[in-house]
Amino acid sequence: MTPTPISHNKMFGGVQATYKHRSDACDCDMKVAVFTPDGVSTDTGDAPVLIWLSGLTCDTTNFQTKAGAQRVAAELGIVLVMPDTSPRGDDVPDTEDRYDFGKGAGFYLDATAKPWAKHYNMESYIRDELTAWISETLPVDIDRMGIFGHSMGGHGALTLHLKNPKLFKTCSAFSPIVAPSQVAWGRGAFEGYLGKDETKWADYDATELLMRGTTDTNILIDQGTDDQFLSEHLRTDIFTAACEKMGQDHTIRMQAGYDHSYFFIATFIEDHLRHHATRL
C-alpha cells in the first residue's frame, strides 16, 4: 500500500491530507484521508489513532469537511484516518437505481455473491490492509487504535469492534444501523452481497454479534430522536436491549430534536473524541 499524495492542507496546526493507493482486497485504487496533529512525533510513533467510517453515499471528503473533528483531535494529539465507503473505479460493479447498494454503499463486509465478491471486500480492507498501512506509515501506536462511524459506518464500526476488540480497542457511533438483518437497508444489502442464506448475515449484524459475546469497552452511541431513518432502518432500541441483556458496557444517548445529518455529528463529535482519548 504505497500511497500517492492527492492533497495536503494545514489545519489547526496539523495536516489534513488525502492519499490514493492500490488495494488488493478491493482490487482497485482506494482513497483515504488522514489528519495528523502538529507535534505528533514520527520518532516515537506513539499517538493514538481513530478510524472513521462514513455512511451511505459518502466518501473521504464528508467527515473531514463537515464534522469539525480536527480541532479537538489536534488538542488531544489523535491521528484521524478516514477511508472511503466502498471500492471505486470503472471496473467496479454498481447499481444505477439504488443509493443504498453498490458504490458508496460497501457496508463494511466481504461480499460472497457475484459480481460483488471481486471488489466489495471492505471488512478485509479496513481490518487488514488499512490497519497495516497505518501501523507502517503513520506516527501512531497501533495498540492505541479505536473505531467510530455514522449510519452505515456506525454499523461497520460496531461490527469491526465486536469481532476484533483487541485491534479496535474503543468504539462509538452516530445513528448506526444496529440490527441490519431486521431492517430494510441491511436486508437489501445483505441479500445482494451475501446471498439469500440469512445464517451468513449474522457475521455482519452488530446485535447478533453482541449476543455471541461482549467486549470490555464502553460503547458510546448518539442517536437523534428526530432522525427520519430511526424507526425503519436504525432501530437503536434493539441494540440497547441486547446490551442490557448481555451486560455490555454501553452509553446510548437519545438526543432530543436531532436528525441524521452532519449538523448532528458536529454537535457531539467532541464528546466522541474525548470518549476514545480517555480509554486509549
Side-chain angles (χ1 to χ4, degrees), residues 20-41:
K20 179 174 70 174
H21 66 88
R22 185 70 183 176
S23 166
D24 291 334
C26 296
D27 194 23
C28 66
D29 290 338
M30 297 288 289
K31 291 182 180 178
V32 57
V34 179
F35 175 71
T36 305
D38 183 38
V40 171
S41 173

PDB file of all heavy atoms in Angstrom, residues 20-41:
ATOM      1  N   LYS A  20      -4.050   8.257  -2.352  1.00  0.00           N
ATOM      2  CA  LYS A  20      -4.595   7.176  -3.173  1.00  0.00           C
ATOM      3  C   LYS A  20      -3.623   6.020  -3.117  1.00  0.00           C
ATOM      4  O   LYS A  20      -2.412   6.203  -3.105  1.00  0.00           O
ATOM      5  CB  LYS A  20      -4.781   7.647  -4.627  1.00  0.00           C
ATOM      6  CG  LYS A  20      -5.330   6.570  -5.550  1.00  0.00           C
ATOM      7  CD  LYS A  20      -5.639   7.128  -6.942  1.00  0.00           C
ATOM      8  CE  LYS A  20      -4.364   7.465  -7.705  1.00  0.00           C
ATOM      9  NZ  LYS A  20      -4.662   7.869  -9.098  1.00  0.00           N
ATOM     10  N   HIS A  21      -4.163   4.795  -3.090  1.00  0.00           N
ATOM     11  CA  HIS A  21      -3.303   3.620  -3.048  1.00  0.00           C
ATOM     12  C   HIS A  21      -4.027   2.450  -3.677  1.00  0.00           C
ATOM     13  O   HIS A  21      -5.263   2.443  -3.815  1.00  0.00           O
ATOM     14  CB  HIS A  21      -2.911   3.277  -1.611  1.00  0.00           C
ATOM     15  CG  HIS A  21      -4.081   2.846  -0.776  1.00  0.00           C
ATOM     16  ND1 HIS A  21      -4.514   1.537  -0.701  1.00  0.00           N
ATOM     17  CD2 HIS A  21      -4.936   3.556  -0.002  1.00  0.00           C
ATOM     18  CE1 HIS A  21      -5.563   1.462   0.078  1.00  0.00           C
ATOM     19  NE2 HIS A  21      -5.856   2.671   0.519  1.00  0.00           N
ATOM     20  N   ARG A  22      -3.298   1.424  -4.035  1.00  0.00           N
ATOM     21  CA  ARG A  22      -3.880   0.219  -4.604  1.00  0.00           C
ATOM     22  C   ARG A  22      -4.293  -0.723  -3.482  1.00  0.00           C
ATOM     23  O   ARG A  22      -3.520  -0.970  -2.545  1.00  0.00           O
ATOM     24  CB  ARG A  22      -2.877  -0.487  -5.515  1.00  0.00           C
ATOM     25  CG  ARG A  22      -3.442  -1.707  -6.246  1.00  0.00           C
ATOM     26  CD  ARG A  22      -4.435  -1.312  -7.305  1.00  0.00           C
ATOM     27  NE  ARG A  22      -5.040  -2.477  -7.968  1.00  0.00           N
ATOM     28  CZ  ARG A  22      -6.001  -2.381  -8.877  1.00  0.00           C
ATOM     29  NH1 ARG A  22      -6.444  -1.179  -9.242  1.00  0.00           N
ATOM     30  NH2 ARG A  22      -6.492  -3.466  -9.440  1.00  0.00           N
ATOM     31  N   SER A  23      -5.501  -1.265  -3.571  1.00  0.00           N
ATOM     32  CA  SER A  23      -5.988  -2.237  -2.599  1.00  0.00           C
ATOM     33  C   SER A  23      -6.111  -3.602  -3.251  1.00  0.00           C
ATOM     34  O   SER A  23      -6.808  -3.762  -4.261  1.00  0.00           O
ATOM     35  CB  SER A  23      -7.358  -1.813  -2.054  1.00  0.00           C
ATOM     36  OG  SER A  23      -7.981  -2.886  -1.364  1.00  0.00           O
ATOM     37  N   ASP A  24      -5.459  -4.593  -2.667  1.00  0.00           N
ATOM     38  CA  ASP A  24      -5.621  -5.967  -3.141  1.00  0.00           C
ATOM     39  C   ASP A  24      -6.991  -6.516  -2.758  1.00  0.00           C
ATOM     40  O   ASP A  24      -7.624  -7.241  -3.530  1.00  0.00           O
ATOM     41  CB  ASP A  24      -4.523  -6.863  -2.564  1.00  0.00           C
ATOM     42  CG  ASP A  24      -3.153  -6.544  -3.142  1.00  0.00           C
ATOM     43  OD1 ASP A  24      -3.095  -6.023  -4.278  1.00  0.00           O
ATOM     44  OD2 ASP A  24      -2.155  -6.821  -2.455  1.00  0.00           O
ATOM     45  N   ALA A  25      -7.458  -6.175  -1.560  1.00  0.00           N
ATOM     46  CA  ALA A  25      -8.738  -6.695  -1.088  1.00  0.00           C
ATOM     47  C   ALA A  25      -9.886  -6.238  -1.982  1.00  0.00           C
ATOM     48  O   ALA A  25     -10.794  -7.018  -2.295  1.00  0.00           O
ATOM     49  CB  ALA A  25      -8.987  -6.257   0.353  1.00  0.00           C
ATOM     50  N   CYS A  26      -9.851  -4.978  -2.388  1.00  0.00           N
ATOM     51  CA  CYS A  26     -10.922  -4.418  -3.222  1.00  0.00           C
ATOM     52  C   CYS A  26     -10.578  -4.415  -4.708  1.00  0.00           C
ATOM     53  O   CYS A  26     -11.428  -4.044  -5.533  1.00  0.00           O
ATOM     54  CB  CYS A  26     -11.259  -3.010  -2.758  1.00  0.00           C
ATOM     55  SG  CYS A  26     -11.932  -2.925  -1.072  1.00  0.00           S
ATOM     56  N   ASP A  27      -9.355  -4.810  -5.047  1.00  0.00           N
ATOM     57  CA  ASP A  27      -8.913  -4.907  -6.442  1.00  0.00           C
ATOM     58  C   ASP A  27      -9.187  -3.623  -7.215  1.00  0.00           C
ATOM     59  O   ASP A  27      -9.727  -3.635  -8.327  1.00  0.00           O
ATOM     60  CB  ASP A  27      -9.590  -6.093  -7.132  1.00  0.00           C
ATOM     61  CG  ASP A  27      -8.920  -6.449  -8.456  1.00  0.00           C
ATOM     62  OD1 ASP A  27      -7.733  -6.106  -8.632  1.00  0.00           O
ATOM     63  OD2 ASP A  27      -9.589  -7.068  -9.318  1.00  0.00           O
ATOM     64  N   CYS A  28      -8.804  -2.499  -6.599  1.00  0.00           N
ATOM     65  CA  CYS A  28      -8.977  -1.199  -7.247  1.00  0.00           C
ATOM     66  C   CYS A  28      -8.161  -0.173  -6.469  1.00  0.00           C
ATOM     67  O   CYS A  28      -7.587  -0.475  -5.417  1.00  0.00           O
ATOM     68  CB  CYS A  28     -10.448  -0.783  -7.263  1.00  0.00           C
ATOM     69  SG  CYS A  28     -11.143  -0.464  -5.636  1.00  0.00           S
ATOM     70  N   ASP A  29      -8.089   1.033  -6.997  1.00  0.00           N
ATOM     71  CA  ASP A  29      -7.475   2.128  -6.264  1.00  0.00           C
ATOM     72  C   ASP A  29      -8.461   2.666  -5.235  1.00  0.00           C
ATOM     73  O   ASP A  29      -9.652   2.832  -5.512  1.00  0.00           O
ATOM     74  CB  ASP A  29      -7.076   3.254  -7.220  1.00  0.00           C
ATOM     75  CG  ASP A  29      -5.904   2.865  -8.109  1.00  0.00           C
ATOM     76  OD1 ASP A  29      -5.149   1.950  -7.735  1.00  0.00           O
ATOM     77  OD2 ASP A  29      -5.757   3.480  -9.183  1.00  0.00           O
ATOM     78  N   MET A  30      -7.961   2.931  -4.038  1.00  0.00           N
ATOM     79  CA  MET A  30      -8.785   3.472  -2.959  1.00  0.00           C
ATOM     80  C   MET A  30      -8.191   4.790  -2.477  1.00  0.00           C
ATOM     81  O   MET A  30      -6.978   5.015  -2.577  1.00  0.00           O
ATOM     82  CB  MET A  30      -8.851   2.491  -1.790  1.00  0.00           C
ATOM     83  CG  MET A  30      -9.514   1.164  -2.105  1.00  0.00           C
ATOM     84  SD  MET A  30     -11.297   1.286  -2.325  1.00  0.00           S
ATOM     85  CE  MET A  30     -11.845   1.585  -0.635  1.00  0.00           C
ATOM     86  N   LYS A  31      -9.045   5.643  -1.933  1.00  0.00           N
ATOM     87  CA  LYS A  31      -8.606   6.889  -1.321  1.00  0.00           C
ATOM     88  C   LYS A  31      -8.791   6.810   0.189  1.00  0.00           C
ATOM     89  O   LYS A  31      -9.721   6.167   0.683  1.00  0.00           O
ATOM     90  CB  LYS A  31      -9.398   8.077  -1.870  1.00  0.00           C
ATOM     91  CG  LYS A  31      -9.106   8.421  -3.320  1.00  0.00           C
ATOM     92  CD  LYS A  31      -9.913   9.634  -3.750  1.00  0.00           C
ATOM     93  CE  LYS A  31      -9.643   9.996  -5.206  1.00  0.00           C
ATOM     94  NZ  LYS A  31     -10.455  11.154  -5.640  1.00  0.00           N
ATOM     95  N   VAL A  32      -7.907   7.488   0.901  1.00  0.00           N
ATOM     96  CA  VAL A  32      -8.026   7.587   2.350  1.00  0.00           C
ATOM     97  C   VAL A  32      -7.519   8.954   2.785  1.00  0.00           C
ATOM     98  O   VAL A  32      -6.505   9.445   2.280  1.00  0.00           O
ATOM     99  CB  VAL A  32      -7.237   6.457   3.066  1.00  0.00           C
ATOM    100  CG1 VAL A  32      -5.770   6.470   2.675  1.00  0.00           C
ATOM    101  CG2 VAL A  32      -7.405   6.532   4.567  1.00  0.00           C
ATOM    102  N   ALA A  33      -8.243   9.591   3.683  1.00  0.00           N
ATOM    103  CA  ALA A  33      -7.848  10.888   4.227  1.00  0.00           C
ATOM    104  C   ALA A  33      -7.259  10.693   5.615  1.00  0.00           C
ATOM    105  O   ALA A  33      -7.678   9.795   6.355  1.00  0.00           O
ATOM    106  CB  ALA A  33      -9.041  11.831   4.286  1.00  0.00           C
ATOM    107  N   VAL A  34      -6.289  11.539   5.963  1.00  0.00           N
ATOM    108  CA  VAL A  34      -5.596  11.439   7.255  1.00  0.00           C
ATOM    109  C   VAL A  34      -5.391  12.835   7.824  1.00  0.00           C
ATOM    110  O   VAL A  34      -4.906  13.728   7.116  1.00  0.00           O
ATOM    111  CB  VAL A  34      -4.229  10.745   7.119  1.00  0.00           C
ATOM    112  CG1 VAL A  34      -3.528  10.687   8.477  1.00  0.00           C
ATOM    113  CG2 VAL A  34      -4.377   9.347   6.543  1.00  0.00           C
ATOM    114  N   PHE A  35      -5.764  13.030   9.095  1.00  0.00           N
ATOM    115  CA  PHE A  35      -5.395  14.256   9.803  1.00  0.00           C
ATOM    116  C   PHE A  35      -4.340  13.904  10.836  1.00  0.00           C
ATOM    117  O   PHE A  35      -4.549  13.049  11.705  1.00  0.00           O
ATOM    118  CB  PHE A  35      -6.587  14.887  10.505  1.00  0.00           C
ATOM    119  CG  PHE A  35      -6.195  16.087  11.351  1.00  0.00           C
ATOM    120  CD1 PHE A  35      -5.812  17.270  10.746  1.00  0.00           C
ATOM    121  CD2 PHE A  35      -6.184  16.008  12.737  1.00  0.00           C
ATOM    122  CE1 PHE A  35      -5.425  18.366  11.513  1.00  0.00           C
ATOM    123  CE2 PHE A  35      -5.801  17.093  13.507  1.00  0.00           C
ATOM    124  CZ  PHE A  35      -5.422  18.276  12.896  1.00  0.00           C
ATOM    125  N   THR A  36      -3.192  14.591  10.747  1.00  0.00           N
ATOM    126  CA  THR A  36      -2.086  14.382  11.686  1.00  0.00           C
ATOM    127  C   THR A  36      -1.860  15.669  12.457  1.00  0.00           C
ATOM    128  O   THR A  36      -1.503  16.696  11.868  1.00  0.00           O
ATOM    129  CB  THR A  36      -0.796  13.994  10.943  1.00  0.00           C
ATOM    130  OG1 THR A  36      -1.045  12.854  10.124  1.00  0.00           O
ATOM    131  CG2 THR A  36       0.306  13.670  11.941  1.00  0.00           C
ATOM    132  N   PRO A  37      -2.082  15.682  13.767  1.00  0.00           N
ATOM    133  CA  PRO A  37      -1.898  16.903  14.556  1.00  0.00           C
ATOM    134  C   PRO A  37      -0.450  17.366  14.587  1.00  0.00           C
ATOM    135  O   PRO A  37       0.486  16.552  14.458  1.00  0.00           O
ATOM    136  CB  PRO A  37      -2.351  16.487  15.963  1.00  0.00           C
ATOM    137  CG  PRO A  37      -3.175  15.268  15.767  1.00  0.00           C
ATOM    138  CD  PRO A  37      -2.578  14.573  14.578  1.00  0.00           C
ATOM    139  N   ASP A  38      -0.278  18.644  14.767  1.00  0.00           N
ATOM    140  CA  ASP A  38       1.060  19.199  14.967  1.00  0.00           C
ATOM    141  C   ASP A  38       1.637  18.641  16.272  1.00  0.00           C
ATOM    142  O   ASP A  38       0.928  18.483  17.261  1.00  0.00           O
ATOM    143  CB  ASP A  38       0.966  20.723  15.051  1.00  0.00           C
ATOM    144  CG  ASP A  38       2.332  21.378  15.199  1.00  0.00           C
ATOM    145  OD1 ASP A  38       3.292  20.893  14.575  1.00  0.00           O
ATOM    146  OD2 ASP A  38       2.437  22.370  15.957  1.00  0.00           O
ATOM    147  N   GLY A  39       2.901  18.304  16.239  1.00  0.00           N
ATOM    148  CA  GLY A  39       3.557  17.817  17.443  1.00  0.00           C
ATOM    149  C   GLY A  39       3.543  16.317  17.593  1.00  0.00           C
ATOM    150  O   GLY A  39       4.204  15.785  18.490  1.00  0.00           O
ATOM    151  N   VAL A  40       2.784  15.616  16.752  1.00  0.00           N
ATOM    152  CA  VAL A  40       2.826  14.157  16.784  1.00  0.00           C
ATOM    153  C   VAL A  40       4.163  13.712  16.204  1.00  0.00           C
ATOM    154  O   VAL A  40       4.490  14.019  15.055  1.00  0.00           O
ATOM    155  CB  VAL A  40       1.660  13.549  15.988  1.00  0.00           C
ATOM    156  CG1 VAL A  40       1.845  12.050  15.833  1.00  0.00           C
ATOM    157  CG2 VAL A  40       0.333  13.846  16.677  1.00  0.00           C
ATOM    158  N   SER A  41       4.936  13.012  16.980  1.00  0.00           N
ATOM    159  CA  SER A  41       6.319  12.714  16.620  1.00  0.00           C
ATOM    160  C   SER A  41       6.423  11.469  15.749  1.00  0.00           C
ATOM    161  O   SER A  41       5.878  10.415  16.065  1.00  0.00           O
ATOM    162  CB  SER A  41       7.159  12.518  17.885  1.00  0.00           C
ATOM    163  OG  SER A  41       8.451  12.084  17.555  1.00  0.00           O
TER     164      SER A  41
END
